[in-house]
Amino acid sequence: MKLEQILNHRYTIAGRLPAFSATHQRYELLSAGGDGERFVLSFCDYAKAISANAVARQHQVGEALAHPMAALLCRAIECRFEQDCQAVISEFPGEVSLREVLQERQSLDIEEVEAFLRLLTDATEAAVRQGWPRLMLNAAHLYLDKRLGLPRVPVPDVPVFDAVGAELPGFDPMQTMQFNAADLRQVSDPIPKDTLDYVPALAALGCDLLGQPKTLRGRNTRYQPVPQFSSQQNILLRRALTGEARAGFASTRVFMEELFGIPLQLDLAAQTERLRYLTSSAAKSVSHLTSPIFDSAVTVRLPQPRAAIPAEPAIAPFVVLDSDAVAVASLPPVLRIRLMPEVEEAPAFSLAANGWLLLGRSAGDSDFVAQFRPRSSAADGRTRRISRVQARVRTAGNRMELEETDMLNPSTYRDTPVGAGLMLDSPAFMLLAGEYPVELHRVISDYKAPRTVKDHADWSDSGEPQGALVARPGGPGVMLWEATLVLSDVGLHFSQSGRPWLRVDGSDPSAARLHYFRGQFWLESLEAGTIKSADGSIMQTHEVMLLQADLKFFIGSYAYSVQPVIPHEPA
């Protein structure tokens, strides 16, 4: 069967594409109908006829390729399998490869890489369940689809099955002594039986996206640690890159959970919805290489100017529900609560209304909980170096006062022990117990005049709002936990991966805002749809929710609940 017979006046060849293996050729096709629709053709013309059993297996694979279970996987449109050749026409994966994005931007940040690899982890699981051939998970062969706003994985080449050795990517028959155990496994089994086979590829892709050399080509090549990762994360990454995966990881999901210290509990649809969340509020100005949906969905963001932040934010009155207004009258003052997520991949928030913020390893004694992740004997040993309550911080006008409460393992600020007390300007970066990175921010209120409450004039502030103080993790490899001393208000915004975080500067607009007034904590929605109740009711703009014990609600696509906290004794 010749190419002309496959095209059959329905397609025209627009050009050659990079091949995945030595046996198959890949072409870009255009629809002959004049609509400009593009496709990919994978074609293999055999040197000798293959067996009927091999053709039957190819048909099974072709059926699986035509019905992908994950949006990231491109779909096969048409498959033809004969004893002398094969041809698979599939969806065009996208305009721009990740390699081109990296040439423009050099690297992505750690949160973007995490979000990207999580989506690909789901794609590998779907591919293995359906019996797909080996996916090509490298930056040169992953594309951006502007229509879906997702990274896309091209349809892989269908194995010949009668001569699988020659189908190994990068196979060189003149250098067979270069085979290692992983290569031999691929030669004998072109259809992965578990996702563990993808662990080295995901590890290499992660390094590539972070701008780090990803390969350990030989035993004499020295591993270069990735600076964005902790020492424990680099150990895991090195094991994956050197083919030691089967000794420690059961699957790509286990590898990802150990590498980032967070369970993968959402399915692909939920993750995609979470990562797309910000696009529902407003269109964004995006570089020509990508689309507004992809910009927030997968967080591969190219340099672009930020919108100007108004110097004087508009002051709008809160809208308090009648039921909450009645409840406040009978409630005692609340000084501390926590907003706890249902999944570990979202940050927890400790809210305090007065006194000091306590920093330490104990969730029962400290506001800011400092624990290293992912959990391991080495990480737990580092966590134990931190005291249950190691230090404390409070506001001092527009500055911050930091004190050490346990000096067994001294905390440092600019290589100086904190000791009995330091006055800090914002932002301040410290090492709790000498090694746990913490950022401290004195956050100024957005409001330049007293806050007002619609239909409750007597609830207005008596003076100018004082903002908040925020303690947050200062690096990767740690628990996702933020603490804030809410003097009046502090904003919430969404990071590039869709997680909610306390807003500490004017670089991103607030999507919601936490308040403390009338002796209670409140949550205000600044964009309709940002905050939802447990039953799905959407809070409207400037509507506020009273945060009472055991209340359940959503911030974006993350479920949270309010946990009461016994107030600390004042010091």
Side-chain angles (χ1 to χ4, degrees), residues 338-341 344 346-350 479-483 501 560:
R338 285 176 178 170
L339 308 184
M340 301 301 296
E344 289 186 21
F349 301 104
S350 287
M479 178 182 286
L480 302 184
W481 194 293
E482 293 192 317
W501 295 100
Y560 279 83

Side-chain angles (χ1 to χ4, degrees), residues 254-315:
V254 171
F255 168 64
M256 285 290 295
E257 290 177 353
E258 290 194 28
L259 183 63
F260 291 103
I262 303 169
L264 295 173
Q265 297 181 357
L266 299 178
D267 59 20
L268 176 63
Q271 287 203 54
T272 303
E273 177 62 26
R274 170 173 66 83
L275 296 174
R276 290 180 186 226
Y277 176 74
L278 290 180
T279 60
S280 63
S281 58
K284 301 180 180 179
S285 174
V286 186
S287 167
H288 68 284
L289 286 180
T290 185
S291 67
I293 294 179
F294 184 81
D295 179 63
S296 352
V298 189
T299 70
V300 176
R301 306 190 72 164
L302 304 177
Q304 53 183 297
R306 292 187 179 276
I309 303 297
E312 296 288 336
I315 303 299

Side-chain angles (χ1 to χ4, degrees), residues 381-513:
R382 296 177 69 192
T383 297
R384 285 192 294 270
R385 287 175 52 85
I386 306 168
S387 298
R388 297 175 67 86
V389 179
Q390 178 78 33
R392 61 183 186 177
V393 62
R394 66 180 177 184
T395 59
N398 286 338
R399 305 184 73 196
M400 299 172 291
E401 182 180 359
L402 176 65
E403 288 185 0
E404 189 91 85
T405 57
D406 188 332
M407 301 185 189
L408 179 61
N409 294 306
S411 300
T412 58
Y413 169 71
R414 294 182 178 175
D415 297 325
T416 301
V418 171
L422 288 175
M423 295 299 295
L424 308 177
D425 292 317
S426 179
F429 303 89
M430 64 170 293
L431 290 175
L432 198 64
E435 62 176 319
Y436 193 96
V438 180
E439 296 179 15
L440 301 174
H441 297 263
R442 178 66 174 92
V443 182
I444 305 303
S445 173
D446 283 341
Y447 293 89
K448 307 305 178 184
R451 297 168 295 176
T452 58
V453 181
K454 186 176 181 181
D455 300 328
H456 296 276
D458 58 324
W459 284 23
S460 300
D461 288 323
S462 58
E464 184 176 323
Q466 297 300 306
L469 185 152
V470 171
R472 68 192 322 180
V478 298
M479 178 182 286
L480 302 184
W481 194 293
E482 293 192 317
T484 178
L485 180 62
V486 186
L487 303 179
S488 62
D489 63 287
V490 62
L492 283 166
H493 75 101
F494 290 95
S495 67
Q496 295 174 348
S497 67
R499 289 192 182 103
W501 295 100
L502 297 173
R503 179 174 176 264
V504 298
D505 56 38
S507 60
D508 291 290
S510 295
R513 187 178 286 121

Side-chain angles (χ1 to χ4, degrees), residues 119-151:
L119 290 171
L120 289 177
T121 297
D122 283 308
T124 61
E125 291 178 338
V128 168
R129 283 196 298 270
Q130 288 191 274
W132 276 42
R134 194 172 310 279
L135 303 177
M136 298 299 290
L137 300 182
N138 57 61
H141 294 122
L142 294 172
Y143 290 80
L144 313 187
D145 189 310
K146 295 183 178 181
R147 297 172 302 170
L148 295 181
L150 290 172

